[in-house]
Amino acid sequence: MERVKSIKDLRQGKLPQDFCEKWPEESKLILMMTTETPSNRPTAESLLELAVFKEKHTQMSDHLNEKVKEQASEIIELRKMLLEKDEELDSRADEVRELRRQLEERDKRVEQMFANNKLCAVCSHKLVNPVEEMDTG
């Protein structure tokens, strides 16, 4: 019931006395915003220019600017890390290419040894030529 009375009083441009004493600026603002004629009410833009909102708006803006700066720094660090990882990846790719090249060379040598009958086709052990064994021994 008290709520209904408060809303009716507000529509008639009345606020509780203790509220008006405790928050005089806010009381004036509430009465301006609840004026019966909409064209007499302040615009959102004009409200933001009031000290009550401007201070909070400035604080929020400062907070958001600080967050943006933090995120910009984080983005810079992440980009540096990404560049480092790209360089590492390129280096690893070079290593892989070199290892593949070496493997291909060994495969060719093994094929040549099989072709020259220097390796056993069954077990891949080196075949010893008796003449070579006498020369080295």
Side-chain angles (χ1 to χ4, degrees), residues 6 9 14-21 27:
S6 295
D9 286 347
K14 300 176 191 171
L15 290 173
Q17 186 62 36
D18 58 331
F19 182 87
C20 292
E21 290 171 3
S27 296

Side-chain angles (χ1 to χ4, degrees), residues 105-120:
E105 278 181 22
R106 288 185 183 158
D107 285 348
K108 285 179 185 176
R109 277 189 254 142
V110 168
E111 286 176 24
Q112 287 173 351
M113 293 177 96
F114 277 126
N116 295 336
N117 291 327
K118 292 188 176 182
L119 288 179
C120 174

Side-chain angles (χ1 to χ4, degrees), residues 4 17 29 48 64 66 74 83 92 96 101 109 121 130:
V4 173
Q17 186 62 36
L29 186 59
L48 289 174
L64 290 175
E66 187 62 34
E74 186 176 355
L83 284 174
R92 296 290 169 101
V96 167
R101 187 191 63 74
R109 277 189 254 142

